[in-house]
Every structure is written in C-alpha cells, then in structure tokens.
Amino acid sequence: MSEQRQSADAVMGRAVAQAGAGDFGSPGYREGLERSLSAFARMPLTPEAREAAIEKLTQDLVTRLRIEQWYRNHPQIDAMAVEGPVFVVGLPRTGTTATVSMLGLDERFRCLRSWEGIDPVPPPIAGQEDTDPRAVAARAAAKDYDKSHMHLFDPDGSQEDLAFLAGLDMHSYHGAYPTPEDYLSWWLAEDFGSTYAYLERVFKLLHSQRPPRLWLLKSPPHLFRLDAIVRQFPNARFVMTHRDPLKVLGSVASLHYTLYSERCVAGSISKEEVGPILLRFWTEGMRRAMAARERLGEDRFIDVHNDEVVNRPLEAFERVYAHLGLSLTAELRRRLAAYNSTNAPGTFGAHRYTLEEYGLTADRVREGFASYLKRFSF
C-alpha cells in the first residue's frame, strides 16, 4: 500500500462495498476519519503497519454500517436503556485492568469482551456464548498472547471499551502509535458528545439478547471525558484507581515504546522522546479529571489504591460495593480471592524499566502531578 494519504471517500467506499450497506448514521465520525488518515500517513510506520492501521479504520466503518443496518431491522432495541454504567477510571498502570477484571467476576455487571467489541453484529445471545464462533476464535488467539507481564488479557473478561469502540465514531486515541501532535491537539479539544452517544447505541445492541444492562466499563482515556460521560449517562458512577505516578510513568512509557517498536521503521523512535510526550498527555488527563470531579460531585466517586487491590482485595471491594449500593456475596468473595491468587504480581514475569531510559526524572514527574500527589498523599 502506498504511504501517501488515502482519501476518506476511498476508505468509506471500501467499507460500503464490504458491508453491503451505505448508511453510516450520524455524521460525527467524518472529521476524525480524515484526521486519522492524515496522521497515519505521517507516522514512521512500516508499510505493513500502515496498511493494518488503515484496514482497522475501514473495518470500524464496516462495523458502524452493520450496526446501523441492525438498528433499521430491529428498531425496538433502542428502547432497551443502559443502566449505570460503572466506569473504572484512572491513569494507565494503576490497576484499572485488575479492578475491572475483579468487578467483572460479578454476573450482575455487563462487560465488554474483546470478541464482541471487535465484531458486535449480530449481538451475542445468552446461553450460546460458549459456541459463538467469535468467542471460540478469540480464545484460540489468546493462547499466543505474550505480553501478560505488561498487561493482563482475558478474551472473556472485561476489556477497554474505548480501545474497541471509540473508532466507530473515529475518535480513537491511537495509543499504540506515535501519534502526531496535531492529532492529539484535536482529540483533546473534542467534546466527545457524539462518541459517548454512539457507545450507548452499541451497548443497547449488545445487551439486547444478552443481559444484564448494568454496564461495567474501563479505559484510561475516559479520564479526559468525565463531564461528557455524565452528560450521556446521568447515572454514571466512577471507581477511580490510584498509584504513585513515579511507578506509573516508566511502565506506561515502556509499554508504548514496545508498541511503537512493533509498528515503526527501525530507528525512527527513540526511548528518550517517548516519556516526555506521555507525561504531558497524562498530566493533562489528570488535571481535567480532577476539575471534572469537583464539578460532578464526590458522591459519584470511590477511590481505590493499587496496593489495596493487590494486597487487600476483599477490603478494597467491600468499600467499592458499599459505595455502589451492592452486596458482596460469599461466592463473589471466593472468586475475588481466587483471581488475586492466580494473577498476583510477578506471576507472568517481571516488567522492568526506569524513568531515565525514557527521558524522565522523578522530579519532573512529581512536578507534573504535584496537585494530584498532594490530594492523594503518595
């Protein structure tokens, strides 16, 4: 595939041909598509990675077309309200995955699984998921997953909703790529109203034949959009995870550098440039989150520290469940203890990194997160 920028019309045309449908629904996605195509054309990607990135944009549009077709054929699902949701939010590497995975052990919650996030149409059917070909294929593919020391992955567990669904509205963060500054500036300036409206549309479709309707969601970029979440979901509640940013930023930089290295031309990205970019991005995310939290009210939030989840999970989840007005059953206690034992730190190998190798210092991180560090007493 040529490294020249492809046109939005060309990508949309391929999506229409693949989906056999032509109605994309509300038009909020178009600018994000054009900006994504421009960004991918300018990244130092290998030809294979660029082709895969544009193919992902195409497939997101195909999925959007299929969702809109499903709604036309099944208009009754629009009346099936989304309950909650409960959002697990926090900086990356603060235990968001462990927290949402343990909460997801509770069958009262409806979680997004990877296979239905990738291919939500037709919606899954309760009682038939063990043999759903999408689920079967995802479980087979998960056997080759080799990054558990960096990030836990369970094909049947709760996954990052924005990673799978933000692209349907063409508002992905594109965190696996060294995204140009102008794209990030646009992304930060967007209000995300159309994105959360479309997420609600997807959730209604997914729970139409597979309840419950109380959604449990997680993705670190939600930090930037707490106001938009509550505008779309007035009953939203937040479980906010915390960890000392000095322990977070090196881990975040290491993960992103690994992802960039897999996608970019050798030598085009240096370790030292990755850390400062991520520090600026996530300090802005936390600044926005704390300001939104003041506006939205403390009653929507319950705080959980990473060391609590690791070392005292039952105590931590007692507080979470009390805040959410739910009971922590004996069976759920057993599941939580078993999960924590199976996924204890170090089980899948050590993730080694330093701040300095990614162009950061402890003083620089402390300065960026000064107000957050003071608020949560790290």
Side-chain angles (χ1 to χ4, degrees), residues 41-157:
R42 290 177 285 128
M43 295 179 199
L45 302 178
T46 65
E48 296 79 10
R50 181 171 287 106
E51 182 175 2
I54 296 173
E55 177 60 21
K56 174 62 166 60
L57 295 176
T58 306
Q59 289 307 308
D60 282 338
L61 291 174
V62 169
T63 299
R64 185 178 176 114
L65 288 166
R66 295 177 68 206
I67 288 170
E68 293 305 310
Q69 182 65 52
W70 191 268
Y71 263 89
R72 283 192 297 277
N73 294 337
H74 306 84
Q76 70 276 10
I77 66 176
D78 198 34
M80 304 181 75
V82 171
E83 297 176 10
V86 174
F87 287 84
V88 176
V89 299
L91 293 171
R93 323 306 288 166
T94 60
T96 54
T97 297
T99 300
V100 79
S101 295
M102 286 195 267
L103 286 171
L105 298 171
D106 188 339
E107 295 176 354
R108 288 171 290 187
F109 289 119
R110 179 66 164 89
C111 304
L112 180 73
R113 286 76 57 86
S114 61
W115 52 270
E116 63 181 350
I118 293 170
D119 190 9
V121 180
I125 300 173
Q128 298 183 21
E129 292 176 314
D130 285 346
T131 57
D132 189 306
R134 295 168 293 186
V136 172
R139 292 171 199 136
K143 295 177 181 178
D144 296 325
Y145 182 71
D146 61 358
K147 292 186 176 66
S148 292
H149 63 296
M150 289 187 176
H151 183 77
L152 298 177
F153 175 72
D154 175 1
D156 292 302

Side-chain angles (χ1 to χ4, degrees), residues 189-212:
E190 284 288 279
D191 71 5
F192 268 58
S194 64
T195 303
Y196 286 108
Y198 210 82
L199 259 63
E200 182 174 28
R201 197 162 175 79
V202 178
F203 300 149
K204 288 180 178 182
L205 181 149
L206 288 175
H207 71 216
S208 62
Q209 299 183 76
R210 201 287 195 183

Side-chain angles (χ1 to χ4, degrees), residues 262-292:
E262 293 172 347
R263 292 160 173 80
C264 294
V265 174
S268 62
I269 302 292
S270 69
K271 284 187 173 184
E272 292 77 11
E273 66 185 292
V274 172
I277 293 171
L278 292 169
L279 177 61
R280 289 195 300 272
F281 184 77
W282 289 110
T283 53
E284 174 63 11
M286 185 55 70
R287 184 194 68 78
R288 292 188 182 199
M290 298 311 294

